Amino acid sequence: MSDKVVTLSEAVGLVEPGDTIALGGMTLYRRPVAFARELIRSRVKDLTLLALTAGYESDLLVGAGSVRRVRTCYFGLEIFGLAPMFTKKARDLEIIEETEVSLALGLRAALSGIGFQPARAWQGTDLLKVRPDVKTISCPYTGERYVAFPAIKPDVAVIHVQESDCQGTAILKGNLALDREMALAAKQTIITTERLVEEVEGQIATFPSRVDAVVLAPKGAYPTSCYPYYRLASQEVLDYVDACSRGEFEEYLARFLDGGEVGER
Amino acid sequence: MGVRLGSADRFTIDELIVTCISRQAKNSDLMAQGIATPLVVAGYILAKLTHAPDLIFAVAIGGCITNSWAPLSISRAEEANLERPLYIFSFDEAAGTLMFTIQPKEFFRPAQVDPRGDFNNVVLGDYYAPKLRLPGCGGIADVTNYSPRVYLYVPRHSRAVFVERLDFVSGVGVLEEEERKELSILSPGPRYLVTNLGTFDFEGGRMRLLSYHPGVRVERIQKKTGFPLAMAPDLHETPPPSAEEVMLLREEIDPLGIRELERLSGGRRRAKLREIIEREAEGF
């Protein structure tokens, strides 16, 4: 077979300890939850988690001890409140502060094959103090000071999509987040998909030459949404928050890893 | 929770905050919606249904620009936003080019605010040993470098929020001209702030009371603020919502009362959240 279709555990095998792993989607929308479950099972540790906004599956990864560093501009559960395990473990994690601009332009710099992208951002805030690696530059034309956001090159990107073919030509419906950019910038890209099709229809979001593995994962974003197939399973997210507030993260995690009650509705 | 004095029980404080947000939206505006901000979403929709029918929304949930609206929902927000999008954006586009050029008006909810309108959404306490790590500032540290349309709201006005000195600056306030120039900052700082006690601006680089809400005494607002407030020369009572505005909010825009979540905390908040989600599951 010349296609790239593999099992979830084979795809997780592409992730090495210490990797920067970029997860697609936004907070509670089209997150690669099935992949996160398999990643926790694999016991790969010391990961740097990169996300535009980190939510449900990111909190489980942090709680399970898979993550050492976090790079995101928001880590929370939106209307459901703070992400409980991120909040609890914040002191032990290495947090690399990001914003929408630093993430978007960092990826753009990587995609342009250059070391940085300048922007009018972050000045007058404390972000530059806690990110001493981020420098400012002087515009050669106007003399204005800009912040030079360093290129971001993830080791692995994992994007959950609505439809993909066997080579990783995939489409996205709405909620593009930074998924197309992550998939192009990463050294290896894994697609998990609701449906495997002969041929996708519409504007494509990923290029097969830049995809390494494709995994069929129906309901692979549950309990986060996969528009238009299923909506955010609010009840499940609330159950997670409630379990954590009772101090029962480990019990919840065990259920989550069983994949029985959780993720199979 | 009704407001005391003449207006007893005709509107709640949530509804007054929503109405104040609504009044800041002008008909031709493009309004940006962040995440977990139901008071703001309700305010925008209220404006669209009353004085600003041409309002357009840039929404984070779903990642699109739309001119349609649906009643507030937790589980269905994404599909409602994506039902009839005018434009679907990536965050490469949003953060890289679009937000700077279309410059939407946006209401942010800070965890801390200082006298000149700098604000914090990153951490409480020492950065390296935090009392409470907050979710993060999203795009606030970006937008406050250039946008002339930064607006703030604080559902629970207290001395813990309004502090002389922030634990961490992640949003830029009103700077001296010289400092702005040196930092290449174009934004004039936040234009407006509404809390559960009153409305404010930062004219002259200092937080200034514009109006006190019905039943709220100026002394109480000052007491709940951790630094001296300036007073607007035409300081007045905040005009209450009209009967029509209250009816629209309760019956059309937010029948489930999702807006109330922003004023609750702890167990009461969790109970309300569960009630809303159960009603949504029943098809509301």
Side-chain angles (χ1 to χ4, degrees), chain A residues 97 99 175 225 234-235 242, chain B residues 62 75 78 127 133 142 169 274:
Chain A
E97 300 297 336
T99 63
N175 180 26
S225 74
S234 300
Q235 188 81 53
D242 282 353
Chain B
S75 313
E78 184 187 28
Y127 179 79
R133 171 70 208 195
D142 312 326
V169 180
R274 187 164 286 284

Side-chain angles (χ1 to χ4, degrees), chain A:
Chain A
M1 289 281 281
S2 63
D3 69 41
K4 296 169 187 163
V5 179
V6 296
T7 66
L8 259 184
S9 80
E10 286 169 328
V12 163
L14 296 174
V15 182
E16 304 273 345
D19 275 357
T20 292
I21 178 166
L23 300 184
M26 260 190 88
T27 345
L28 301 172
Y29 311 96
R30 205 170 42 67
R31 303 315 299 263
V33 177
F35 186 89
R37 177 185 289 113
E38 198 59 36
L39 190 58
I40 295 170
R41 283 183 187 142
S42 78
R43 298 177 198 278
V44 178
K45 306 275 183 213
D46 199 27
L47 297 172
T48 297
L49 172 72
L50 178 75
L52 171 58
T53 57
Y56 173 81
E57 79 304 318
S58 299
D59 203 50
L60 280 156
L61 283 164
V62 165
S66 310
V67 175
R68 183 165 148 203
R69 269 175 236 94
V70 169
R71 298 186 72 164
T72 185
C73 74
Y74 173 95
F75 202 137
L77 297 177
E78 301 197 345
I79 200 73
F80 300 89
L82 299 171
M85 298 315 286
F86 169 71
T87 308
K88 189 175 172 187
K89 292 191 164 194
R91 281 185 186 217
D92 307 322
L93 290 168
E94 191 184 322
I95 300 171
I96 302 173
E97 300 297 336
E98 301 284 359
T99 63
E100 290 170 5
V101 161
S102 68
L103 290 166
L105 294 195
L107 288 167
R108 193 184 275 195
L111 297 181
S112 309
I114 55 176
F116 71 93
Q117 282 280 356
R120 198 188 293 282
W122 285 30
Q123 303 251 41
T125 75
D126 288 331
L127 289 169
L128 288 167
K129 290 181 196 156
V130 298
R131 283 288 308 272
D133 61 311
V134 178
K135 317 283 188 204
T136 62
I137 55 156
S138 176
C139 173
Y141 304 105
T142 65
E144 280 190 301
R145 296 303 292 178
Y146 301 137
V147 174
F149 291 105
I152 297 173
K153 293 176 195 164
D155 295 301
V156 182
V158 187
I159 311 296
H160 187 71
V161 305
Q162 285 90 357
E163 282 174 23
S164 173
D165 71 13
C166 295
Q167 300 299 336
T169 309
I171 56 156
L172 289 173
K173 296 177 181 173
N175 180 26
L176 298 175
L178 282 170
D179 292 13
R180 296 183 302 196
E181 294 74 21
M182 285 174 173
L184 284 173
K187 290 180 196 136
Q188 300 189 89
T189 291
I190 297 164
I191 299 290
T192 66
T193 183
E194 289 291 322
R195 295 182 185 174
L196 263 182
V197 294
E198 282 286 319
E199 206 170 324
V200 296
E201 274 180 39
Q203 170 105 338
I204 64 168
T206 58
F207 296 88
S209 60
R210 300 289 298 151
V211 174
D212 300 275
V214 179
V215 179
L216 177 62
K219 291 218 99 179
Y222 179 94
T224 74
S225 74
C226 189
Y227 173 85
Y229 298 139
Y230 46 93
R231 59 177 66 125
L232 168 63
S234 300
Q235 188 81 53
E236 184 59 46
V237 179
L238 188 57
D239 287 349
Y240 173 64
V241 173
D242 282 353
C244 290
S245 67
R246 291 191 305 266
E248 293 171 5
F249 172 79
E250 293 301 332
E251 289 86 337
Y252 185 93
L253 179 66
R255 280 207 309 283
F256 174 77
L257 292 178
D258 276 349
E261 270 178 72
V262 179
E264 303 294 330
R265 283 180 195 173

Side-chain angles (χ1 to χ4, degrees), chain B residues 113-126:
Chain B
V113 183
D114 76 9
R116 67 173 191 179
D118 295 310
F119 54 109
N120 171 19
N121 286 75
V122 169
V123 72
L124 296 182
D126 178 66

Side-chain angles (χ1 to χ4, degrees), chain B residues 75-86:
Chain B
S75 313
R76 286 184 219 156
E78 184 187 28
E79 68 190 66
N81 290 340
L82 283 169
E83 194 177 19
R84 277 187 293 141
L86 297 170

Side-chain angles (χ1 to χ4, degrees), chain B residues 172-233:
Chain B
V172 183
V174 179
L175 306 188
E176 300 282 348
E177 191 53 38
E178 205 173 305
E179 197 181 3
R180 271 179 55 196
K181 218 162 181 181
E182 192 185 320
L183 297 172
S184 305
I185 288 172
L186 304 176
S187 173
R191 308 311 291 262
Y192 174 88
L193 161 71
V194 57
T195 78
N196 56 314
L197 301 180
T199 71
F200 309 81
D201 68 11
F202 296 88
E203 190 66 36
R206 180 143 205 109
M207 187 164 146
R208 182 171 79 154
L209 183 62
L210 299 176
S211 74
Y212 46 87
H213 293 338
V216 180
R217 294 160 62 101
V218 173
E219 301 79 67
R220 175 151 168 256
I221 301 175
Q222 178 59 75
K223 218 173 136 190
K224 291 254 183 189
T225 307
F227 47 80
L229 287 165
M231 300 289 156

